[in-house]
Amino acid sequence: MTQKIGIVTGGGDCPGLNAVIRAVTKAANLRGWDAVGVFGGFEGLLNPERCKTLCTRDLDGLLTRGGTVLGTANRGRFSAKTGHGEIRALPKDLLDDTQAGCAALGISALVCIGGDGTLTIANQLHKHGIPVVGVPKTIDNDVLGTETTFGFDSAVSCATDALDRLHSTAESHGRIMVLEVMGRYAGWIAAYAGLSGGADVILIPEIPFQYESICRKVKDRAARGRNFTMIVAAEGACPCGGELVTSTAQEANREARLGGVGNMIAAELQKLTGQEARCVVLGHLQRGGSPTAIDRALCTMFGTKAVELIADGRTGRMVSFIGGRITSMPLEEAGGGIRTVPTDSGLVKTARAIGVCFGD
Ligand code: F6P
């Protein structure tokens, strides 16, 4: 049966969104189906003028292009997560309007590309009767039901490059250098970049830290003639008994914005050790630019799998990467929470085995 597939990108942008849009469109077109780009996130489904059938020309350059040509939003009435990840049920009239919007556009199935928030919305739409397939996107790598999300590899590459660059300046000046990276409540970016970039200290939300432990590491290094220390701190890292550091006051219908822990750590360490400390907040650089080769391939595999699921009538699922294979999971499982770094994982054990301090 001929299908018209709507493609929506939701939540924060990240490298690879366009590569998925390209893969879904190409795979759909090859089956003789149409792919409709929905502009401006889920809001676009309520406005036919914000939806456009994508043609081959629209796909030019999309494999390598950062961001999303469809636009996206991580706030507003379609937010399914607020505060510190609390799930919000979308109002029934909004779900009804969205269903009517899809019907008016002739959309037979939606591909929703996004992180835990977007996948939670996708699940609510599916339960409301709109056939949906999810594609897990986020630099945070924290979506349940998949071992990796696209965008993560690109963010880790960016953070690793930053650590490489900061290394030489920290060494030249004999400083403590703190790199604050994103990741929300999960320490995947910090842990992987810390390992790849040779950090001496990795601070992640999953392991509350103590300043004394970090100071001991700084002193041990000094005793061995290493007069500088490289620290990578996840934005969600927290001192024992302390609170998450947020960068702005809580806004309605959006998740809390984390940020500022890096500067706090640098200031405290300078006070405690007497050694100069600096902090660099990597911020949205991690989300910008072209996806890495690994992410481009993953996006293409995810996009084509999403179309295959629709062809097989297996909606209500999210494509996922498990045990080296592209597979799928019920959407229900993806949106329920987030996947954090297990403190007994090989990743943490490996870092500890080479002497990395987690501040505990
Ligand atoms: O979820 C992706 C992410 O980049 C987080 O790592 C970060 O906390 C948040 O989004 C930042 O969101 P915003 O784009 O609203 O600043």
Side-chain angles (χ1 to χ4, degrees), residues 6 14 27-28 42 47 56 69 77 101 104 115 149 197 220 240 250 253 279 294 313 327 331:
C14 86
F42 290 98
N47 182 354
T56 315
V69 288
R77 56 187 177 153
T149 55
D220 282 358
C240 289
Q250 180 62 50
N253 288 352
C279 169
I294 289 287
T327 175
L331 258 179

Side-chain angles (χ1 to χ4, degrees), residues 255-300:
E255 283 201 76
R257 289 182 63 197
L258 303 183
V261 74
N263 275 305
M264 185 183 94
I265 293 168
E268 190 63 19
L269 290 179
Q270 181 161 310
K271 206 164 73 191
L272 292 171
T273 62
Q275 190 172 2
E276 256 198 328
R278 294 285 189 270
C279 169
V280 171
V281 180
L282 196 53
H284 293 80
L285 283 172
Q286 290 155 99
R287 289 211 330 226
S290 188
T292 57
I294 289 287
D295 270 336
R296 292 177 202 181
L298 186 62
C299 289
T300 308

Side-chain angles (χ1 to χ4, degrees), residues 18 54 182:
N18 287 323
L54 301 173
M182 285 184 167

